[in-house]
Amino acid sequence: MSAPSTTPRSAVANSVWPRLEPLLPQIAKPIQYVGGELGAVVKDWDTAAVRWALMYPDAYEVGLPNQGVQILYEVLNEQPDVLAERTYAVWPDLERLMRAHQVPQFTIDAHRPVRDFDVFGVSFATELGYTNLLTAIDLAGIPLLAADRSDADPVVVAGGHAAFNPEPIAAFVDAAVLGDGEEAVLEITTIVREWKAEGSPGGRDELLLRLARTESVYVPRFYDVDYLPDGRIQRVVPNRPDVPFRVHKRTTMDLDAWPYPKKPLVPLAETVHERYAVEIFRGCTRGCRFCQAGMITRPVRERSITTVGQMVREGLEFSGFHEVGLLSLSSADHSEIGDMCSGLAQQYEGTNVSLSLPSTRVDAFNIDLAQELARNGRRTGLTFAPEGGSERIRKVINKMVSKEDLIRTVVTAYTNGWRQVKLYFMCGLPTETDEDVLEIAAMAHEVIRAGRAATGSRDIRCTVSIGGFVPKPHTPFQWAAMARPEVIDNRLRLLKQAVNADRSLGRAIGFRYHDGEPSLIEGLLSRGDRRVSAVIRRVWENGGRFDGWSEHFSYQRWVEAAAEVLPDFGVDLDWYTTRERDELEVLPWDHLDSGLDKDWLWQDWQDALGEYEQEDCRWTPCFDCGVCPAMDTEIQIGPTGRKLLPLTPVNGLRVPSDAQQ
C-alpha cells in the first residue's frame, strides 16, 4: 500500500519510458502502452501552468474510443498554458511487473508519472470500474484515501454518469463533477491556475474549498453523513458554513459551439470502436424509467445539421476512418435525421465511408433511413431495444413500442438487405414475472417468421441479448428492489428453453445474456453510500481488477467482502440491493442535484407500478420534471431547414463544402 508522501510534485516530470520499455516484451499487447497515436498531443511540461492526467478506468481498447475523455483531452490541450495527457488501466500482467520494478502509473502520451500532475480526472461510465481506480491511484504512489493526501498529490476528480452518486468512492476521490464536462474542466483549470499563481495559499484544503464554492463541484470531505439506528441515512450536511447544501450538475447548452472531437484519436491497437463518432444531440426526454442516461442528461440539445456535416468532413479528413457513427441516446429522434442521413450518404456515395446509427429506437427507424444507411452497400449491424418482452412490462418501464412496431421495423431492415438484427432486452425489471420474460421468445420467433415471409429466404438471423436490470440514482426506479441473481438466472434458463422449443426458428436465433450476479454487484455500487467504500477497498485488496470483464469478475469475492465489512455498519448486501426504499428515505445522492424533482420521480415510480405511460415532453406540454427551470435551460431542437449541399470534390472524394446551404 502507498504511504502518505510530502515530497513536492516534480517541476519537470521525467519520463518512465526507460524503465517501462524493457518490461513490454514480457506482456500481452504491449502496443497499448506505447502512445503516439494520430491525434495524440505532447506539450512542453515547463510552459504549462495547469497539468491534467485524464483516465478512463478500463483497458486501452475500451478507454481510447471513449468520447468524453477525447473531448476533454482536446478542449484542455487547446488552452495554451494547459497540458492534458491520458492514462488507462493496466492489465494485471503489467501491473505485476510495474510493482516489481517500481514503475508508477504513467500517461501514454509522454509516459509521465500520474502523480506529477495537478489534476487526475477519472471518467466513469460504469461503477464496475471502481477497483481499477484504486489500482491506478496506488500504482501512482498517491495515498488511497483522500484524507491522507498532501499538497504534493494531484486532486483526484471523478466525472461521468457514475459520478451522479460518487458516495461509494467518496473516500478515494477529492471531488466529483456532475454533468457535462466541457465548461467544467475549464472552470476547474482556472481555479487551479489562480491558486498556483498566488503561491498555493491554504494548501490543498483551500484549493478544494474554492472548487466547492462553485456549487458545481462536489467535495465529499466537506459533508458529513449521519445515520439512523436502522442503517438508513438521517441527513447529509456541510461541515463548514461556506459550502453549499446542494451541488448542481453542469449543462452545456450550445453544442454547435463545442464541435469536438475535431482531431479524433486513431488507435494503434485494436479497440472496441474504430470510427469517427459525432454526437448529434445530447439528452433524451423519452422517459424510459430505467434509463439513468436519459434522465440525467436532460434537456435535449441538438447539433445543427450543418455542424454535423462539417464535423464529419473534418474528422474523416484528419483520421482516415471509414465509418461514421452518429451518436446519441436515440439518434433517430434528431429532428433532421432524415436529411442528415441522406445528405451524408449522398456526399460519400461511391467511397468506402459507411454510416451507422448505434442507438436506434424501434418506432423511429423507417425504410428511408434503412435505404440511406445501406447506400454504399455496407450494412453495419442494427440493434433495436424493446427492453421488455411483454406489452405490460414495456408500460411499466415506459418503453412505448408495440410488438407490431417491432415486427414492421425489423421486416423493413430484412427487405432492405440486412440479414441479421440484434434485439436487446432486460431481465429483472420491477414487477416482472416469468411470463413477461417468456414473451421475448415469442417475439423473436415472430421476427424470424415475418422476416422469412417478407424476403422469401431462410438466410436471416436474430440475436436476442439480455442484460440484467440495475436500479440507478436519479431515475424513477431508484426506489426499486432488485431481483435476486437466482431469480434472474432461472428466468434466463426458461427463456432459452422457450427460444429453442421450435428447432426451426430457434436455429436462427442467437442468445446472449449476462447472468444476475454482476448486476447485483453493480446495484450495490450504483445505490451505495460511503459505507460501501470499505467493500470496494476489501475487494481490491483481495485482487479485484477489471470487474466489468466477465473473465476477471468474481461474484464470490464481492459477496465475501460485503459479508466481512457491512455487518459492522448494521447492514448487508441485500439491504443495498433487494430492499425497496420508501418515499421519505434520504437517498445517498439527494444532496446532488441532477435537476430532476424528487417528488416528480416518485410520482413516475407510482405511475410505473400503475402501468401508466408518460409522453415525450419534446412534443407534448411540459410535465414538470424540474430540469428546465432548475437548470435554467430549455429544450433545443430543430429543424433548421438547412441541407448538407452543395458537394465539392476534395482529394478525389465528394464531400460537403464550407459553403453549406
Side-chain angles (χ1 to χ4, degrees):
M1 299 300 146
S2 300
S5 171
T6 56
T7 306
R9 190 179 296 119
S10 174
V12 178
N14 295 314
S15 172
V16 305
W17 182 252
R19 286 181 285 161
L20 175 66
E21 186 180 20
L23 308 181
L24 297 183
Q26 305 175 52
I27 62 170
K29 299 182 181 179
I31 189 66
Q32 64 190 307
Y33 306 112
V34 172
E37 306 96 338
L38 180 64
V41 177
V42 176
K43 300 178 75 171
D44 182 67
W45 183 267
D46 295 331
T47 61
V50 181
R51 307 174 181 105
W52 284 74
L54 297 173
M55 181 182 195
Y56 187 83
D58 209 324
Y60 176 94
E61 61 199 89
V62 178
L64 182 132
N66 180 258
Q67 189 87 339
V69 171
Q70 287 207 32
I71 289 171
L72 300 185
Y73 178 72
E74 198 168 320
V75 166
L76 288 165
N77 277 319
E78 283 186 349
Q79 306 301 307
D81 65 341
V82 179
L83 174 155
E85 298 188 11
R86 296 162 294 128
T87 187
Y88 304 105
V90 298
W91 286 108
D93 58 353
L94 182 57
E95 181 191 342
R96 287 189 290 270
L97 290 172
M98 289 170 65
R99 293 189 184 281
H101 295 270
Q102 297 185 315
V103 176
Q105 183 80 22
F106 55 89
T107 61
I108 67 167
D109 297 290
H111 299 95
R112 290 161 170 154
V114 165
R115 186 173 180 267
D116 287 344
F117 289 75
D118 299 304
V119 186
F120 181 24
V122 188
S123 179
F124 292 99
T126 170
E127 296 85 358
L128 291 174
Y130 288 162
T131 49
N132 284 353
L133 167 69
L134 298 197
T135 302
I137 290 175
D138 190 60
L139 282 174
I142 302 168
L144 274 185
L145 297 179
D148 294 336
R149 293 173 195 151
S150 71
D151 294 355
D153 297 302
V155 174
V156 181
V157 181
H161 287 182
F164 275 81
N165 177 27
E167 291 300 279
I169 53 171
F172 313 120
V173 300
D174 296 294
V177 174
L178 281 64
D180 299 332
E182 291 94 336
E183 293 164 302
V185 294
L186 295 180
E187 182 178 32
I188 292 171
T189 297
T190 298
I191 292 170
V192 174
R193 180 194 292 118
E194 293 175 352
W195 174 76
K196 289 178 67 176
E198 294 168 15
S200 307
R204 186 182 196 85
D205 207 57
E206 170 64 21
L207 174 58
L208 293 174
L209 182 59
R210 293 186 185 189
L211 293 173
R213 284 175 181 154
T214 65
E215 300 189 5
S216 62
V217 178
Y218 175 53
V219 181
R221 72 163 65 183
F222 295 144
Y223 295 80
D224 293 333
V225 183
D226 298 327
Y227 300 95
L228 295 167
D230 63 2
R232 292 176 300 147
I233 294 173
Q234 182 178 28
R235 62 178 188 168
V236 180
V237 292
N239 54 32
R240 48 190 304 163
D242 42 1
V243 171
F245 272 85
R246 283 171 68 80
V247 179
H248 309 290
K249 78 169 183 179
R250 299 295 300 251
T251 304
T252 299
M253 287 307 300
D254 184 5
L255 294 188
D256 280 354
W258 300 88
Y260 297 94
K262 303 172 185 174
K263 298 179 178 180
L265 290 158
V266 180
L268 295 177
E270 183 179 1
T271 58
V272 292
H273 298 298
E274 296 186 5
R275 65 189 179 200
Y276 178 58
V278 178
E279 186 183 23
I280 62 175
F281 72 87
R282 191 172 296 179
C284 182
T285 49
R286 287 281 183 172
C288 301
R289 294 179 172 121
F290 58 85
C291 182
Q292 184 190 47
M295 293 289 171
I296 64 178
T297 59
R298 295 181 177 198
V300 169
R301 291 145 287 156
E302 289 190 350
R303 271 203 172 99
S304 68
I305 187 172
T306 48
T307 298
V308 170
Q310 178 183 347
M311 290 178 67
V312 169
R313 174 174 64 89
E314 295 177 355
L316 290 180
E317 285 181 356
F318 177 83
S319 66
F321 282 128
H322 296 154
E323 181 182 344
V324 176
L326 303 177
L327 304 187
S328 76
L329 292 174
S330 184
S331 294
D333 282 344
H334 192 289
S335 62
E336 296 182 299
I337 190 64
D339 286 341
M340 188 180 296
C341 287
S342 62
L344 290 172
Q346 183 174 351
Q347 287 162 16
Y348 295 101
E349 189 171 9
T351 74
N352 60 356
V353 174
S354 63
L355 304 174
S356 66
L357 295 179
S359 52
T360 305
R361 280 190 61 85
V362 170
D363 55 353
F365 195 85
N366 55 56
I367 191 167
D368 295 328
L369 286 184
Q371 291 170 332
E372 295 299 350
L373 290 169
R375 188 185 291 198
N376 270 3
R378 297 179 60 191
R379 291 179 170 85
T380 56
L382 291 178
T383 299
F384 304 107
E387 309 289 359
S390 70
E391 184 174 353
R392 187 197 73 81
I393 203 70
R394 289 195 294 274
K395 287 182 178 179
V396 171
I397 64 178
N398 206 46
K399 192 77 174 185
M400 295 176 288
V401 55
S402 67
K403 182 187 293 187
E404 292 72 27
D405 284 335
L406 175 71
I407 301 301
R408 186 183 310 113
T409 300
V410 173
V411 167
T412 297
Y414 286 143
T415 54
N416 279 274
W418 275 271
R419 287 296 172 261
Q420 178 156 342
V421 298
K422 182 178 179 182
L423 303 179
Y424 181 81
F425 300 88
M426 283 189 291
C427 187
L429 291 160
T431 78
E432 179 185 274
T433 65
D434 292 354
E435 288 70 28
D436 292 315
V437 175
L438 290 174
E439 287 204 38
I440 295 173
M443 183 181 289
H445 287 164
E446 286 196 40
V447 163
I448 297 299
R449 286 195 198 96
R452 287 175 176 176
T455 62
S457 169
R458 297 179 65 86
D459 182 28
I460 59 172
R461 287 188 56 80
C462 165
T463 298
V464 171
S465 182
I466 314 287
F469 165 69
V470 179
K472 293 289 186 176
H474 307 282
T475 72
F477 288 165
Q478 63 185 359
W479 290 277
M482 294 188 71
R484 297 181 182 277
E486 56 268 24
V487 173
I488 301 292
D489 295 346
N490 182 59
R491 286 176 181 163
L492 293 175
R493 180 180 57 80
L494 294 174
L495 174 59
K496 188 172 184 179
Q497 291 175 353
V499 167
N500 293 324
D502 185 317
R503 296 186 62 186
S504 172
L505 298 173
R507 279 196 296 265
I509 300 170
F511 188 63
R512 298 177 183 175
Y513 63 91
H514 299 287
D515 60 40
E517 293 180 347
S519 297
L520 192 79
I521 300 308
E522 188 179 344
L524 166 71
L525 299 176
S526 70
R527 293 192 294 177
D529 51 42
R530 294 187 181 187
R531 295 169 290 190
V532 173
S533 64
V535 181
I536 298 170
R537 181 169 183 170
R538 182 66 56 88
V539 167
W540 175 76
E541 290 171 343
N542 291 338
R545 307 289 191 275
F546 289 92
D547 286 295
W549 295 68
S550 59
E551 60 267 41
H552 292 274
F553 174 80
S554 168
Y555 180 67
Q556 193 64 31
R557 183 159 48 212
W558 281 95
V559 170
E560 290 175 356
E564 292 169 7
V565 168
L566 293 179
D568 290 343
F569 302 112
V571 294
D572 58 18
L573 180 58
D574 286 343
W575 191 88
Y576 283 106
T577 54
T578 59
R579 176 181 67 93
E580 184 172 323
R581 281 69 166 161
D582 62 39
E583 180 179 6
L584 299 181
E585 179 167 345
V586 176
L587 303 175
W589 51 89
D590 278 350
H591 58 298
L592 303 174
D593 183 13
S594 64
L596 294 158
D597 182 76
K598 189 177 180 182
D599 290 338
W600 178 82
L601 287 171
W602 175 262
Q603 183 56 55
D604 207 36
W605 169 229
Q606 301 310 298
D607 287 344
L609 297 177
E611 301 173 14
Y612 174 78
E613 293 178 330
Q614 180 70 267
E615 295 293 331
D616 184 343
C617 69
R618 290 180 74 183
W619 320 114
T620 61
C622 172
F623 46 71
D624 199 23
C625 74
V627 168
C628 291
M631 301 285 105
D632 192 26
T633 59
E634 61 183 1
I635 293 174
Q636 293 182 341
I637 62 172
T640 62
R642 306 182 72 181
K643 306 294 181 185
L644 285 167
L645 302 175
L647 307 178
T648 58
V650 176
N651 296 331
L653 295 178
R654 299 171 68 196
V655 299
S657 73
D658 287 325
Q660 294 165 332
Q661 62 183 17

